Amino acid sequence: MVEISDGNFTLPIDLWGNLMPIDKVGGWWKKSVSVLYEVVKPAPLRKNHLYTLHRAYISPEKLSKIKKGEVIKCLKCGSVGATDVHMFWDCPSIRLFWEEVCDTVSAMLGR
């Protein structure tokens, strides 16, 4: 991680904490960062992980701010103001995907 000495740098955990409740004290955040180097070997996948972690992907909400006056909708469901959380979790199309993943993993684990 980059260390900025002037104190004006916002850490990724703070960015995500503004969108959803995150236990900043617990080990979840540290584990999510360390798993990148323990599990993910190909560089392109590491890049995707880091982009997600640092909220570097351009969501429709961010694009609307860049293109002032233009309303950019979610490409999957047409929702206005789609945030990072919407793009990865809340979008109905993505939610169906995650439900299938959970069902498959649960079936594999016998639950």
Side-chain angles (χ1 to χ4, degrees), residues 4-108:
I4 305 296
S5 60
D6 65 2
N8 292 327
F9 182 70
T10 303
L11 295 173
I13 191 169
D14 295 328
L15 296 171
W16 280 107
N18 293 335
L19 293 173
M20 65 175 78
I22 293 178
D23 177 13
K24 295 181 183 182
V25 179
W28 176 85
W29 185 258
K30 187 175 182 179
K31 182 65 177 169
S32 69
V33 174
S34 64
V35 75
L36 173 64
Y37 297 100
E38 294 170 8
V39 177
V40 181
K41 299 299 179 194
L45 294 179
R46 284 186 181 184
K47 184 179 101 176
N48 286 345
H49 186 97
L50 286 171
Y51 274 32
T52 303
L53 185 68
H54 289 276
R55 294 186 59 214
Y57 283 113
I58 305 292
S59 67
E61 178 191 46
K62 290 178 188 174
L63 195 55
S64 290
K65 290 178 183 177
I66 293 169
K67 296 183 173 190
K68 295 180 182 188
E70 201 172 322
V71 176
I72 311 293
K73 298 179 181 180
C74 173
L75 297 174
K76 297 284 186 185
C77 71
S79 176
V80 175
T83 63
D84 295 326
V85 173
H86 174 86
M87 301 303 292
F88 288 108
W89 301 106
D90 293 341
C91 180
S93 299
I94 301 300
R95 186 171 294 278
L96 287 173
F97 166 78
W98 286 117
E99 287 173 3
E100 287 180 31
V101 168
C102 289
D103 291 345
T104 302
V105 170
S106 293
M108 292 171 71

